[in-house]
Amino acid sequence: MFVVGGESLIDLVPVSSAADAERVALAGGSPFNCAIALSKLGHETGFLCPISADQYGDLLLKPLAEAGVAVLLDERVDAPTTKAIVTFNDKMQASYVFERGADRAFTREGLIAALPRQVALYQIGGFCPILETDADVWRAVVSEAAARGATISIDINVREKLVDDEAGYRARLSDFLDMAHIVKLSEEDHEWLVPGQSIEAYAAELLKRPHCALVVVTLGEQGSRAFSRAGKGEAPIYAPPVFGDTVGAGDSLMAGILTWLSEADALGPDALAALNDEQLSAMLGFGAVVAGINCGRKGCQPPTRDEVDAVLAQ
């Protein structure tokens, strides 16, 4: 099973970029989105996050069930659902303000008990390093997943507005990066983490960490790049016929990359490290189609595998 651990939340999304635009409530959260995308692409997927007993919790459970994602923590919690207030710039690119709640209502024992016996892939959520008490618990979960044979991936997904202790956050993030075989980040993450450093130089630094064998960097409208210990690749975006917004684009791309790696029998550390230029570009191209189809819709609505195959066949 593929397991994604981390936050779920409700995105309160404006219907336009106008300051006074009406907002609609949509299920979201980067790990939540990635879990749904993985399942719709054909993987047995489990989601590891507490779900609130409130009405927004009901809203979160519906798309998980529709996508066939296993909710690994089946007992709902009293804490209110975490919320993200979304705004768009003139290019309809999203930014967020957060009100946290149920995504933190966990215990170390409860999370570890909910892990499946066999975990092929464990994806670390972006909120996990933000608070020290949370990070201590999630590190234990990641360690247990690795002990059960999982390849570990992380989507860094810096949420600067939630970071009150930058030095502490950087140290905790570094701990998670030391555990990961696959690291994904956006160019915005890169600029916040290492301003002034080239993407190539930072990727090389990441690849020197104990387990890292693949680095993926998304570049917005400029596509994406990838680096292994044996090669590097790049791919443009896939532009859908009608553009919706970018909510969940990175999460969909991540799911696409993990799907390509799984189907290429390249999820193991040695295989990841050996990916060559051609393979890396093919991997990114597949992920770009998954992300692009999602961008043709409003909010995060990842495609099914049939939808992806239909575009690839064109």
Side-chain angles (χ1 to χ4, degrees), residues 174-207:
S174 183
D175 289 343
F176 283 105
L177 293 174
D178 278 345
M179 304 172 83
H181 302 98
I182 302 168
V183 177
K184 174 188 167 291
L185 65 155
S186 67
E187 60 180 340
E188 293 83 7
D189 296 330
H190 173 262
E191 291 167 4
W192 189 87
L193 289 165
V194 284
Q197 186 175 23
S198 71
I199 288 173
E200 294 87 346
Y202 187 52
E205 286 185 6
L206 289 170
L207 288 168

Side-chain angles (χ1 to χ4, degrees), residues 40-128:
K40 292 178 76 171
L41 290 172
H43 303 281
E44 182 186 12
T45 306
F47 182 52
L48 190 62
C49 175
I51 303 293
S52 176
D54 65 17
Q55 62 179 353
Y56 284 142
D58 296 337
L59 186 58
L60 289 168
L61 286 174
K62 183 178 179 181
L64 291 170
E66 290 174 346
V69 178
V71 178
L72 299 178
L73 292 169
D74 54 6
E75 185 174 345
R76 296 171 69 174
V77 299
D78 292 334
T81 297
T82 296
K83 301 172 187 65
I85 295 87
V86 183
T87 56
F88 293 116
N89 62 17
D90 56 3
K91 294 183 178 180
M92 290 303 288
Q93 295 170 319
S95 60
Y96 305 83
V97 175
F98 298 93
E99 297 175 359
R100 298 189 68 182
D103 77 288
R104 299 191 60 220
F106 52 69
T107 65
R108 180 193 308 245
E109 295 74 21
L111 292 177
I112 291 177
L115 272 179
R117 285 190 176 184
Q118 295 184 329
V119 184
L121 182 285
Y122 183 91
Q123 166 89 1
I124 302 168
F127 282 14
C128 294

Side-chain angles (χ1 to χ4, degrees), residues 123-238:
Q123 166 89 1
I124 302 168
F127 282 14
C128 294
I130 290 174
L131 297 173
E132 183 175 1
T133 53
D134 294 357
D136 289 344
V137 173
W138 285 115
R139 275 197 300 267
V141 175
V142 177
S143 294
E144 183 60 31
R148 299 184 189 189
T151 295
I152 306 300
S153 62
I154 183 170
D155 187 345
I156 292 179
N157 211 358
V158 173
R159 298 300 193 188
E160 183 178 1
K161 293 179 180 178
L162 285 175
V163 176
D164 294 328
D165 170 18
E166 182 176 331
Y169 170 75
R170 287 178 177 273
R172 292 186 290 274
L173 175 61
S174 183
D175 289 343
F176 283 105
L177 293 174
D178 278 345
M179 304 172 83
H181 302 98
I182 302 168
V183 177
K184 174 188 167 291
L185 65 155
S186 67
E187 60 180 340
E188 293 83 7
D189 296 330
H190 173 262
E191 291 167 4
W192 189 87
L193 289 165
V194 284
Q197 186 175 23
S198 71
I199 288 173
E200 294 87 346
Y202 187 52
E205 286 185 6
L206 289 170
L207 288 168
K208 291 178 182 177
R209 287 178 177 265
H211 300 292
C212 184
L214 173 64
V215 176
V216 174
V217 185
T218 59
L219 306 170
E221 295 178 351
Q222 302 306 308
S224 56
R225 302 178 68 183
F227 306 83
S228 73
R229 294 176 184 173
K232 58 184 177 180
E234 60 184 44
I237 63 168
Y238 164 70

Side-chain angles (χ1 to χ4, degrees), residues 228-288:
S228 73
R229 294 176 184 173
K232 58 184 177 180
E234 60 184 44
I237 63 168
Y238 164 70
V242 177
F243 180 72
D245 60 47
T246 62
V247 176
D251 310 320
S252 298
L253 183 138
M254 185 72 186
I257 285 170
L258 295 173
T259 296
W260 189 95
L261 291 169
S262 177
E263 294 178 0
D265 197 23
L267 266 182
D270 292 341
L272 287 169
L275 291 168
N276 61 33
D277 297 4
E278 183 180 357
Q279 290 172 311
L280 290 169
S281 294
M283 175 194 74
L284 293 174
F286 184 90

